[in-house]
């Protein structure tokens, strides 16, 4: 008797879900994927993709400003937000269709609607009941907004991606990826941005020298950064102006308030509690190193775990689970040396350990830094400097951290991440010939020790 109609039922059509579903199907499994919203999840619809398109758009401002030094007369320029929004929406609709096509061609059955779990093997979608030998939760996360007086007046990142008109002034609250990226993007489009962060320096967890370098660069560009500041309330007056009341008694006037103070897993209201799936107080699902939850037939991946909420991590987790379940593999996910980039202006990219973390975990380290004006800025007149940094374990000469603040930092760090995954030593970096003239060559020409 066939007790199950599917080998695997995937809840959620984001990066983790689509990858796990199609890989499992390609390995011969009978797979259904349930999704209630547009295909592609956070990354495609309200995350990486629209954010990067906006970031590219915001950087055009630099190109226009820098052009004169190279002899170009650009004339009057204007930015039209609705055009960017329309073009972004068209691109995302194209990607949604590509995702649908990928699933279809892989032989995955797509079920449209919101799923709940009626048992360890049973998924309900409206009137439909699906029975799966295994179920995998790939339900992602969503912006979290604390409750405070006036919280109904503020927007979150999802709202920004559909905002009909750009305000003249905006207060951004938060000091993580989303707050800093969106503050940079909005500033690039000409919005007067004030960023409020509760600690003494934003981007906790990133390399401190890079955080300071980025803060200085953003301030020099005209973004107002208020650290050690926490809003108490947001008021809206009859004219539509907002007043953000701060703990120290001051108030900031603005035309819009954006909160980016973290994301929470999308795991409530699915029926996980009733089944006994263990989660933390924020709804992050506990799994073992095979992604299995406390209920043996249920697995979880991606932002639902709230570990490293990055698309490439979700993709890798989805691939590994599919191969382990249906390909006879016994792979484990490594979260070491995951490179990441903050698409701020300028970018901050990083792989491996920060200087602070390296000092705590290694008896002796060597730190090499380089700060210089990129070649483009010599003629453009822009004063902004690049910061590049290598952290080396003195015991075996291995490069254990690489960090950069500067244009296209993410593009550069990706290659360094390959070298670090291979366990490259500083001597091997030094033996690599540079490409001249580039900023990237600095990573292989840092000869002078900055400090130990
Ligand atoms: P983060 O966890 O990165 O940052 C949250 C920020 O909000 C921190 O600065 C935190 O401060 C602050 N905060 C938390 N609670 C409060 C509060 N009650 N009041 C005021 N401030 C508060 O979250 P994001 O929302 O920025 O991003 C979520 C995740 O999405 C990221 O961690 C990342 O994994 C992923 N992401 C990745 C991107 C990329 O790869 N480029 C881009 C965007 C998102 P404190 O540090 O003091 O706790």
């Amino acid at each position: 008797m066939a007790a199950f109609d599917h080998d695997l039922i995937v809840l959620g059509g984001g990066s983790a879900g689509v990858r796990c579903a199609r890989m499992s199907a390609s390995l011969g499994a009978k797979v259904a994927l349930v999704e209630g919203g547009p295909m592609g999840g956070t990354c495609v619809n309200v995350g990486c993709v629209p954010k990067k398109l906006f970031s590219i758009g915001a950087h055009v401002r630099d190109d226009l400003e820098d052009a004169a030094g190279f002899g170009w007369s650009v004339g009057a320029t204007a930015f039209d937000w609705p055009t960017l929004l329309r073009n972004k929406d068209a691109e995302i609709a194209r990607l949604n269709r590509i995702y649908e096509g990928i699933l279809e061609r892989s032989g995955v059955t797509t079920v449209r609607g919101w799923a709940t779990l009626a048992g360890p093997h049973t998924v309900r979608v409206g009137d439909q009941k699906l029975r799966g030998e295994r179920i995998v939760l790939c339900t992602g996360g969503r912006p979290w907004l604390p409750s405070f007086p006036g919280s109904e007046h503020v927007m979150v990142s999802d709202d920004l991606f559909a905002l009909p008109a750009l305000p003249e002034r905006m207060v951004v609250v938060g000091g993580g990826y989303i707050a800093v990226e969106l503050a940079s993007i909005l500033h690039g489009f000409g919005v007067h941005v004030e960023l409020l962060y509760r600690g003494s320096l934003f981007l906790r967890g990133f390399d401190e020298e890079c955080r300071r370098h980025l803060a200085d660069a953003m301030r020099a560009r005209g973004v107002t950064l208020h650290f050690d500041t926490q809003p108490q309330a947001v008021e809206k007056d009859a004219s539509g102006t907002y007043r953000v009341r701060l703990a120290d008694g001051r108030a900031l006037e603005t035309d819009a308030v954006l909160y980016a103070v973290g994301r929470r897993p999308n795991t409530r209201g699915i029926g996980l509690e009733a089944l006994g799936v263990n989660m933390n107080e924020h709804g992050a699902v506990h799994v073992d190193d095979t992604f299995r939850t406390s209920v043996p037939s249920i697995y979880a991946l991606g932002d639902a775990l709230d570990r490293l909420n990055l698309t490439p991590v979700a993709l890798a987790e989805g691939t590994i689970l599919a191969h382990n379940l249906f390909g006879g593999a016994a792979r484990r996910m490594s979260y070491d040396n995951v490179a990441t980039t903050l698409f701020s202006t300028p970018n901050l990219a990083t792989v491996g350990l920060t200087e602070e973390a390296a000092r705590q975990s290694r008896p002796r380290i060597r730190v090499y830094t380089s700060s210089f004006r990129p070649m483009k800025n010599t003629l453009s007149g822009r004063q902004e400097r690049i910061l590049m940094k290598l952290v080396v374990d003195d015991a075996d000469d291995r490069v254990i951290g690489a960090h950069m603040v500067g244009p296209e930092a993410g593009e550069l760090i990706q290659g360094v991440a390959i070298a670090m995954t291979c366990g490259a030593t500083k001597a091997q970096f030094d033996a690599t010939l540079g490409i001249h003239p580039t900023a990237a060559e600095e990573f292989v020409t840092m000869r002078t020790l900055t400090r130990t």
Side-chain angles (χ1 to χ4, degrees), residues 51 175-178 181 197-198 204 230 261-262 309-310 341:
K51 180 277 306 288
Y177 276 90
I178 297 179
E181 288 184 342
Y197 172 56
R198 63 183 178 178
R204 185 168 58 85
Q230 183 75 326
V261 293
N309 297 334
L310 301 171
T341 296

Side-chain angles (χ1 to χ4, degrees), residues 47-48 51 143-144 146 157 173-181 196-199 201-204 206 229-231 259-264 303 306-311 340-343:
C48 325
K51 180 277 306 288
W144 172 69
S157 57
V173 180
Y177 276 90
I178 297 179
V180 178
E181 288 184 342
L196 310 185
Y197 172 56
R198 63 183 178 178
L201 181 61
F202 61 16
L203 298 173
R204 185 168 58 85
F206 285 84
T229 307
Q230 183 75 326
Y259 258 70
V261 293
R263 296 175 60 88
R264 293 281 155 87
D303 288 6
D306 202 15
R307 283 180 174 172
L308 259 183
N309 297 334
L310 301 171
T311 290
T340 179
T341 296
L342 203 101
F343 292 97

Side-chain angles (χ1 to χ4, degrees), residues 13-312:
S15 304
V18 171
R19 173 60 67 88
C20 186
R22 82 175 171 88
M23 296 297 282
S24 299
S26 73
L27 292 164
K30 189 166 184 228
V31 183
L33 181 145
V34 187
E35 171 60 65
M39 223 35 108
T42 302
C43 174
V44 168
N45 295 287
V46 284
C48 325
V49 173
K51 180 277 306 288
K52 184 73 191 267
L53 292 172
F54 284 4
S55 174
I56 293 168
H59 277 88
V60 172
R61 174 178 172 165
D62 279 13
D63 295 335
L64 294 170
E65 286 173 0
D66 293 346
F70 293 88
W72 291 89
S73 305
V74 177
T77 60
F79 169 66
D80 186 52
W81 171 252
T83 301
L84 176 62
L85 218 57
R86 208 170 39 249
N87 292 345
K88 179 268 291 180
D89 288 343
E91 171 58 9
I92 287 174
R94 188 181 75 85
L95 294 175
N96 294 148
R97 288 193 296 274
I98 286 178
Y99 270 66
E100 286 160 12
I102 286 172
L103 289 171
E104 205 180 306
R105 282 192 299 281
S106 314
V108 174
T109 305
T110 302
V111 181
R112 291 316 220 138
W114 299 108
T116 52
L117 294 184
H121 296 279
T122 308
V123 175
R124 273 188 199 287
V125 187
D127 301 338
Q128 211 176 338
K129 200 161 98 176
L130 307 169
R131 296 265 302 151
E133 186 174 3
R134 296 179 181 101
I135 294 167
V136 55
L137 307 165
C138 303
T139 49
R142 59 158 65 109
W144 172 69
L145 183 60
S147 175
F148 58 88
S151 55
E152 68 277 13
H153 298 312
V154 315
M155 66 173 104
V156 294
S157 57
D158 287 6
D159 303 315
L160 184 80
F161 290 116
L163 199 64
L166 270 189
E168 268 179 42
R169 300 168 298 177
M170 188 122 159
V171 165
V172 177
V173 180
Y177 276 90
I178 297 179
V180 178
E181 288 184 342
L182 293 182
S184 292
I185 287 168
L186 289 162
H187 173 76
F189 292 141
V191 178
H192 177 264
V193 178
E194 296 191 75
L195 182 141
L196 310 185
Y197 172 56
R198 63 183 178 178
S200 58
L201 181 61
F202 61 16
L203 298 173
R204 185 168 58 85
F206 285 84
D207 185 86
E208 190 176 328
E209 194 175 12
C210 294
R211 293 157 70 196
R212 278 191 267 112
H213 190 95
L214 179 62
D216 290 345
M218 286 178 70
R219 283 196 171 111
R221 281 173 170 266
V223 180
T224 307
L225 303 178
H226 302 272
F227 294 152
D228 291 314
T229 307
Q230 183 75 326
Q232 301 291 291
V234 176
E235 295 156 5
K236 186 180 183 185
D237 70 18
S239 69
T241 300
Y242 296 91
R243 198 157 287 107
V244 181
R245 297 223 170 265
L246 308 179
D248 61 11
R250 286 181 302 147
L252 302 176
E253 263 198 15
T254 186
D255 303 311
V257 183
L258 172 79
Y259 258 70
V261 293
R263 296 175 60 88
R264 293 281 155 87
N266 249 336
T267 49
R268 303 289 186 208
I270 302 175
L272 300 179
E273 296 86 347
L275 289 178
V277 173
N278 287 341
M279 295 180 274
N280 75 8
E281 72 276 21
H282 298 315
V285 180
H286 293 306
V287 290
D288 64 15
D289 65 356
T290 67
F291 300 110
R292 195 191 282 253
T293 71
S294 48
V295 175
S297 59
I298 301 179
Y299 295 76
L301 303 172
D303 288 6
L305 308 179
D306 202 15
R307 283 180 174 172
L308 259 183
N309 297 334
L310 301 171
T311 290

